[in-house]
Amino acid sequence: MEIIHVSAECYPVAKAGGLGDVVGALPKYLQEAGHQTKVVMPMYRTKFLSNNEWEVVHKGSSNLGDYFFDYTIIKEKNNVLGFDLYLVDIYGLLDREKIYGYDDDAQRFTAFQIAVVDWLAAWMHQPDVVHVHDYHAGLIPFMMQYCYRYKQLANIPTVVTIHNAQYQGWMGWDKSTFLPPYDEWKRGMLEWNNKINPLASAIKCASKVTTVSNSYLDELRSISNGLEALFEYERGKCVGILNGIDYEVWNPVTDKYIKDDYGIDTIEEGKAKNKALLCETFGLDLNKPLFVFIGRLVGEKAADLLPAVIGDSFYNIGRRMNFLILGSGEPEVEAQLNGMNSLSQGDYSCYIGYNEALSHLMYAGADFLLMPSRVEPCGLNQMYSMRYGTVPLVRNTGGLRDTVKDIGEKEGYGILFNDASVGDICHGIWRACEMYTNKKLFQSARKQMMKIDLSWENSVKRYIDLYKSLK
Ligand code: ADP
């Protein structure tokens, strides 16, 4: 089969979170399974762009209302990622350093999607499936079916994967002129709550909808930032497929970012050396359990609760543990976490910013990974931490619920708590401290987690079955 993925992120080209990891890995494993897989994404000005060789494969022009633009599609020449990678360049719109966060994001991503569909329409043949990811590519199924210019694409099956339904790409109807002329009778297929809603449009128009875990799919019917009724109505075409993790990138035996590589048999020495490096770098106490948080400092991840959680843990449980935070996001949370450095007694530190290398070292050197997320579609961090023998301490929600088994259950290895509240999280931290003092239990949980199969193998099979069902 020939499958084309359309996404705003793809690791290592450009990544802001889990979407990038998934689009960097799933296509690689689909290709390995014998399917011709292509990824197309915007051409941001990233290091990956300047460090690789490219060839121009297509040039075209289109318009965003009365703004006419030229676009160029380039292809990476040496297949360095294990699949065909295409970038869309639109001068003035996509040639930026960051992925998101510009005032004209609506224009940028709509122009990107128009360019992709325009290019597809120029192909001499048709792909078997167009697979779009999140709202940045969510208008594509609509355009393929209802824009007069692209009618020849109407029969190609489409799949949308929802990595995060919080962000939907809402636009006022004044922006409807951005779209190429479309069948006005189908206006409803763009709309949700009197706005153009690209994510809702993808759910309505795509042949199949997938979410990145089963529990998240269940939750979306009751909490999905306004789309609850739509998920309920479209439940027949929705399916949950849990993400895997890329074993070539996330492997403590070969990880080039960590101090000492280790496997199951060398886990104790290996983790101790990586922990020692982290403690030395951040002025932490090697003898206490190390709790880390890695992620976007936003409400979804309950990052706003971290300062109170850390303060209350020290106060109520005692200064029996270290905390190390890596992340960036809401400025108030960043400021609070930075401010807490001055209160550290050699047991707290934070790094505000994005640092891929440090994240690997933290997964390797930490004892516990804290994820109190209010919403967690799948969550990759807990899976990386399990792969590196770090015990996940997570809220019982979404993909966290599907991947972490509480130590109190048969064959359990992690710690689950129910509420994103300071009290519940601190109770989890207390349980973790107790677990840490039981060395035998702690060490066997570490080893057990490292044996769990978190690879892409099973998930890739499920995607292939899904694609086949669309033929
Ligand atoms: P989300 O996509 O909602 O942000 P996920 O758990 O699915 O959450 O994926 C997060 C990914 O981003 C992981 O690979 C994590 O290691 C990485 N990440 C998040 N914040 C940072 C950061 N500040 N520095 C390095 N990596 C980060």
Side-chain angles (χ1 to χ4, degrees), residues 15-19 21 164 250 294-296 300-301 326-328 353-356 359 363 371 376-382 384:
K15 161 179 160 180
L19 168 65
D21 284 336
N164 194 333
W250 299 95
I294 301 167
R296 294 178 293 120
E300 255 176 83
K301 303 282 176 193
L326 164 64
S328 60
Y354 190 92
N355 190 327
E356 190 78 27
S359 74
Y363 290 117
M371 277 183 95
E376 198 55 79
C378 172
L380 295 170
N381 302 20
Q382 82 282 10
Y384 297 147

Side-chain angles (χ1 to χ4, degrees), residues 187-248:
R187 214 179 131 92
M189 300 301 263
L190 283 172
E191 177 165 4
W192 193 253
N193 282 342
N194 300 322
K195 287 208 167 93
I196 298 178
N197 183 320
L199 189 69
S201 171
I203 297 166
K204 293 178 186 187
C205 299
S207 327
K208 284 280 180 193
V209 178
T210 75
T211 61
V212 287
S213 71
N214 269 323
S215 290
Y216 185 54
L217 179 55
D218 288 342
E219 286 172 12
L220 288 171
R221 291 186 203 114
S222 42
I223 331 169
S224 51
N225 212 1
L227 298 184
E228 297 78 9
L230 183 60
F231 279 108
E232 183 60 42
Y233 183 74
E234 296 286 11
R235 63 190 299 167
K237 67 175 180 189
C238 295
V239 27
I241 303 181
L242 192 71
N243 288 334
I245 62 173
D246 191 342
Y247 272 23
E248 285 170 20

Side-chain angles (χ1 to χ4, degrees), residues 129-269:
V129 183
V130 175
H131 187 154
V132 304
H133 296 265
D134 275 354
Y135 84 84
H136 326 100
L139 293 170
I140 288 179
F142 177 88
M143 285 199 261
M144 288 170 60
Q145 281 167 68
Y146 304 121
C147 286
Y148 297 114
R149 252 187 238 168
Y150 305 124
K151 273 280 179 207
Q152 74 266 39
L153 304 176
N155 293 327
I156 302 175
T158 51
V159 173
V160 58
T161 292
I162 299 174
H163 300 257
N164 194 333
Q166 292 297 107
Y167 307 98
Q168 299 168 9
W170 313 266
M171 297 191 256
W173 275 104
D174 54 318
K175 304 239 172 20
S176 65
T177 53
F178 287 174
L179 292 169
Y182 56 87
D183 181 351
E184 278 291 340
W185 288 100
K186 300 294 178 191
R187 214 179 131 92
M189 300 301 263
L190 283 172
E191 177 165 4
W192 193 253
N193 282 342
N194 300 322
K195 287 208 167 93
I196 298 178
N197 183 320
L199 189 69
S201 171
I203 297 166
K204 293 178 186 187
C205 299
S207 327
K208 284 280 180 193
V209 178
T210 75
T211 61
V212 287
S213 71
N214 269 323
S215 290
Y216 185 54
L217 179 55
D218 288 342
E219 286 172 12
L220 288 171
R221 291 186 203 114
S222 42
I223 331 169
S224 51
N225 212 1
L227 298 184
E228 297 78 9
L230 183 60
F231 279 108
E232 183 60 42
Y233 183 74
E234 296 286 11
R235 63 190 299 167
K237 67 175 180 189
C238 295
V239 27
I241 303 181
L242 192 71
N243 288 334
I245 62 173
D246 191 342
Y247 272 23
E248 285 170 20
V249 180
W250 299 95
N251 183 354
V253 180
T254 53
D255 194 325
K256 58 183 187 304
Y257 289 124
I258 67 179
K259 180 172 165 55
D260 265 276
D261 292 341
Y262 59 92
I264 287 197
D265 298 333
T266 49
I267 179 171
E268 294 305 324
E269 309 91 90

